[in-house]
Structure formats: C-alpha cells, structure tokens
Amino acid sequence: ILKKQHKKHINNSNNNDAAAMSNNGDNLRSLTFSYENGTAKFTVLDQLALPHETTYVAIRNIEDAWDAIRSMRIRGAPLIAIVAVLGLAVELTSNAKTVKELDGLTGGVEEVKTFVFQKMDYLKTSRPTAVNLFNAMEELKGIVDNADNTSREDVVNSIVTHAQYMLERDVSDNKAIGSHGADDLLARHTHPDGVRVVTICNTGSLATAGWGTALGVARELQHRNKLRSIAALETRPYNQGSRLTAYEIMTENMPNPCLICDSMAASYIRAKGADACVVGADRVCANGDTANKIGTFQLSIIAKEMGVNLV
C-alpha cells in the first residue's frame, strides 16, 4: 500500500518537490520562509492535498495564515504557532494594505503596538484551543512590549526578527528531542541493525517547523543507520497516519515501512516485532499527565502488555 501510494505521489507532484526538501539535510519541510530587503515570502505545504499532490500555497497576509490554520491545511501544535507568527511577519512587511495603514498611523509607537496586537488577537481565533498558538502570541507580545522600540520600523523589525528566531528554535528543539530519544532507545536496544518502531498520528516535519518530535526520533535513528523498521497506525478518524506519516516515511525512504489499521497494532507487534512505540503528546501537564490523539491510550496498553517501550 505504501509503495503504491508513494508512486502516485511522485507521478502527481510537480516542481514543488524541490521545495519539499529542507535545508536541514534532506528531510521534508512543511513551509518555506525568506526575508530579504524588507520583504517576507512565505509558503506552506498544503496538507489537505497529501498524499496525492505536493503543493505549496502562498501566505500573503494574516487572513491566509488564519485560513490555513482553521481549514487544517496545516496542523500540528508547533506548526500552528509558527505559521501564525510568520504570517504576522508577512502581514506587517509585505501586505500593501497593511503597510499603507501603518504609514497612516500618527499616534506613535503605542498606536503601532495596539494595531499589531489586534492582528495577534485575530490570529488566535483561528484555533481557540491551540495552546502553542496562544503561547507564541504572548511571547511575541512580550518582545514588542519589552524591546527598545522608538519607531514603527523598530516594532516591525522586532517581530520579524523574533519570528525567525522562533522558526529556528523549533527545528533546533525538535532535533534535540530526536537525538535524546535515539540515544535512549539505542542504550536499551543493542541489536546491530537498530530499533523497530511503531508510531501513531503525525509528529514529523509536517507537524512542526522541521524534523519533527516523535517521528524525529525515528528520523534520527535512520540518520544513524539504526532504524530497522517503522510501522504507522492509520490514526482514525482524521487519518493523519495514513495521509501524512506514511507520506513522510516514503518520501524519506525509511526502511521496512508498514501502514497498519489502528485495530491491528497488537497483531502486528506479535507477528513482526517492535522495540518501541514512539508517540507524541498534544499536551504534557506539570504532574506528568499527558493528552494525545485518540488511539494512543490503546497503543500504550498494548505496549505495556507486550513488553514494548513506550516513548
């Protein structure tokens, strides 16, 4: 199934394939962003078209960013936040209507801040339950409030600079997660060919600014030539596993891939074997409680009963 699906993707994709590969090695990228000579350019990979088409959609203003988040053209907690902050950067530097409105403000820096904060509030309405989105907007607001801004240009520059920093930080954080996760698994499993992984939902490059979180662990294992196999659960009801994780696995040629329905996880592990179920978490509480995609609880029970690590 995966091989047929990947072949169809190759046959239907176009010049966007080149953009699909990140500057961070050859891993898939969920977005492209550049800022030169005061102008920002921003595109996102249309995840609603996957796995059959690889298409990047331009984000020219905050309305485009809002729609990409609300329509689930992009999804994943880290990516939602990044798309919002980069969308704001594009809005303030490259949207002619907004630039003209900024030019017409006469009330000084405080009026500019109020103007910008209203746009942040609008972006929050794209996904009212997205904690990462709200945290990102509050972080950006704090940067604007605390920076030594004496002009409109200072306010805009502080936003663009910090938005770029947040993009780079997300990729860096994800790579650290992947590295620590791979170290932990390889310390526990010493088979010369590496680790057999099972995962659920989508926690890779398509859910983040790049590299991924839980799938980033598998990606790091592959980078070290220590990934023996990987199985992705389809992840009903929205099928992020079959539409997105399978796409990532095949695009990056991960070894011995398998796409399975959610109800056959136990049968697969018994028949094929697994060393670790590596899953994401939509939210981790201070007391250690976690919340994640429906089906993760079931997979955790299977892992416990079958002596498989849950990471």
Side-chain angles (χ1 to χ4, degrees):
I1 292 174
L2 281 181
K3 288 180 179 178
K4 288 181 179 179
Q5 177 173 286
H6 187 55
K7 184 176 181 181
K8 187 172 183 181
H9 150 66
I10 293 297
N11 290 338
N12 282 290
S13 59
N14 51 36
N15 290 335
N16 282 300
D17 282 337
M21 307 317 284
S22 169
N23 294 328
N24 301 304
D26 62 352
N27 93 281
L28 189 70
R29 70 188 309 179
S30 55
L31 59 85
T32 68
F33 182 80
S34 65
Y35 183 66
E36 296 179 0
N37 301 319
T39 300
K41 294 182 179 180
F42 181 27
T43 69
V44 297
L45 181 60
D46 185 355
Q47 298 186 26
L48 295 176
L50 296 176
H52 305 302
E53 295 181 11
T54 302
T55 304
Y56 282 81
V57 179
I59 304 295
R60 299 184 176 89
N61 49 54
I62 57 171
E63 287 78 18
D64 287 347
W66 189 96
D67 181 69
I69 296 169
R70 175 57 70 92
S71 68
M72 296 191 76
R73 183 167 286 112
I74 64 95
R75 25 65 56 204
L79 184 58
I80 288 171
I82 295 298
V83 167
V85 298
L86 294 180
L88 182 62
V90 170
E91 172 80 9
L92 298 176
T93 61
S94 307
N95 182 357
K97 179 177 179 291
T98 295
V99 171
K100 184 176 180 180
E101 290 174 346
L102 283 167
D103 288 339
L105 298 180
T106 59
V109 171
E110 291 305 315
E111 187 178 14
V112 173
K113 289 182 179 180
T114 299
F115 179 83
V116 170
F117 294 159
Q118 288 173 347
K119 293 187 178 295
M120 290 183 183
D121 290 339
Y122 168 74
L123 284 165
K124 290 178 184 178
T125 66
S126 63
R127 189 70 62 82
T129 58
V131 176
N132 288 55
L133 169 61
F134 278 69
N135 288 346
M137 291 295 105
E138 288 304 309
E139 180 179 338
L140 209 53
K141 184 177 180 181
I143 291 296
V144 173
D145 272 337
N146 296 323
D148 186 19
N149 296 317
T150 59
S151 67
R152 182 195 89 182
E153 289 75 16
D154 289 341
V155 173
V156 172
N157 287 337
S158 66
I159 290 171
V160 174
T161 298
H162 198 71
Q164 290 176 295
Y165 163 73
M166 293 171 79
L167 172 63
E168 295 168 359
R169 181 180 65 187
D170 188 62
V171 176
S172 177
D173 288 348
N174 294 337
K175 287 193 170 185
I177 291 171
S179 180
H180 287 302
D183 287 345
D184 178 63
L185 289 177
L186 290 173
R188 296 194 234 178
H189 303 284
T190 58
H191 190 284
D193 292 333
V195 182
R196 299 165 297 178
V197 171
V198 174
T199 190
I200 189 171
C201 200
N202 176 256
T203 57
S205 293
L206 298 180
T208 65
W211 199 255
T213 53
L215 195 60
V217 176
R219 185 168 278 118
E220 178 64 22
L221 288 169
Q222 181 190 23
H223 182 70
R224 302 184 192 184
N225 294 316
K226 289 295 184 180
L227 181 64
R228 291 171 64 188
S229 64
I230 182 164
L233 274 63
E234 60 182 338
T235 319
R236 296 183 184 186
Y238 204 59
N239 296 324
Q240 293 98 321
S242 58
R243 291 189 301 109
L244 305 177
T245 299
Y247 172 86
E248 290 202 47
I249 288 171
M250 296 307 295
T251 298
E252 301 203 16
N253 296 311
M254 291 187 180
N256 300 312
C258 189
L259 172 62
I260 62 176
C261 60
D262 295 343
S263 59
M264 69 177 290
S267 178
Y268 171 87
I269 292 172
R270 183 178 64 179
K272 299 293 185 179
D275 300 306
C277 294
V278 184
V279 304
D282 287 324
R283 193 57 43 200
V284 179
C285 299
N287 68 348
D289 290 347
T290 63
N292 195 48
K293 190 64 57 190
I294 190 74
T296 307
F297 179 49
Q298 168 187 276
L299 186 60
S300 70
I301 293 173
I302 292 169
K304 180 181 179 180
E305 291 299 317
M306 303 187 79
V308 175
N309 294 142
L310 180 73
V311 179

